[in-house]
Amino acid sequence: MNTDDVVLPPAYWNADATVATLRVTVTNTGGRAERISLGYTLPPGLTDAGTPGCEPSGGGNHRCVGWDAEPGARFSATIRVRVDGDAWRTMPLAGSVQVTAVAPGVTGAAYDDEGFAVLFPPGPPVPGISLRADEVLFDISGAPSTLTVRLGNTGKVDAAGRIEVLLPEGVTVAGTESGCAPVSADRTRCELGTLAAGRTATARLTLAASAEAQRRAPLSGAVIGRLDPRSGRDRQVQMSFRISAAAADAVPPGGAPAPTGSQGVLVAAGERDGDDTSVRGTAVALIAVSGLLVVLALTLATRSLRRRSDITVPERPITDR
């Protein structure tokens, strides 16, 4: 299963609520026909906007009508969600999608669970300030990665700059530049000093993620940018950023024995073990036969040489000259 993110347009800041879509793609990677069922969990501030065949089951959870899928079949589903106009106040937000597959006559089920991020554009719009946070990607090694944040002073007067980074569960700050310090377990504040009008400051934080957090990726974090001029009102804007991990795609989903693609690999592996034993036996037999052929050839060559040595060469008669 693969999930896209819920990406909100800039028009979100001018509406009481915004309807967005979450696209989910499911593939039957097994060798049997399967009955597939889908469910999803929405974070606070998001509600279902009328997805056909799906209904709430309590606690932000939803269940959808199942369908039959032949081996190799691929399906895409679009989940409609409504994002409240005040949902940005509790960012970062993320949800998850669950899929379960059952094959007739097979005990157990195969399942997958993947997260999705809710990505807000920079805002609410405030003149004189800009904010940008890049995506964070953890490679297959799971090593720490870097978050880059840029805070710009687009106003006409100098202002003191500050950012705060909010992280989801399982993601922590492993290292920062000078001027950054933790405010709480999930929040880090960086003082950027005075930003002259028209200038942009860049902050880089090294993030680490637990194995469980990487498995649940993609996730989302949030950044709050603030400018405090010597005179006039403070300016503040915030946005969310995506946290993805290669391990989320590289690690096969776990579960009870079922007709999944991973189980097919295990069956094939067992067959390969038997084939390897057969191949090794055949190789040994071929080596033995080759050795016998070599011995036989040497024996025949030796006998041939002996026969040649036993032949008497007739003497030439001596004639008087």
Side-chain angles (χ1 to χ4, degrees), residues 285-309:
L286 289 175
I287 292 173
V289 171
S290 299
L292 292 175
L293 291 175
V294 171
V295 172
L296 179 60
L298 291 174
T299 301
L300 292 175
T302 302
R303 290 180 177 178
S304 176
L305 291 174
R306 286 180 178 176
R307 282 198 301 270
R308 291 181 180 180
S309 62

Side-chain angles (χ1 to χ4, degrees), residues 151-153 157-162 192-202 227:
L151 178 65
N153 181 0
V157 297
D158 298 350
R162 182 180 74 195
L192 304 180
T194 301
L195 270 70
R199 299 297 300 272
T200 298
T202 301
L227 289 177

Side-chain angles (χ1 to χ4, degrees), residues 30-58:
R32 296 171 179 247
E34 298 176 347
R35 181 69 176 176
I36 298 178
S37 59
L38 183 73
Y40 54 94
T41 302
L42 300 178
L46 275 70
T47 55
D48 187 84
T51 303
C54 300
E55 59 182 19
S57 57

Side-chain angles (χ1 to χ4, degrees), residues 1 29 65 125 135 152 213 310:
M1 176 179 64
T29 60
V65 176
E135 178 180 352
D310 291 339

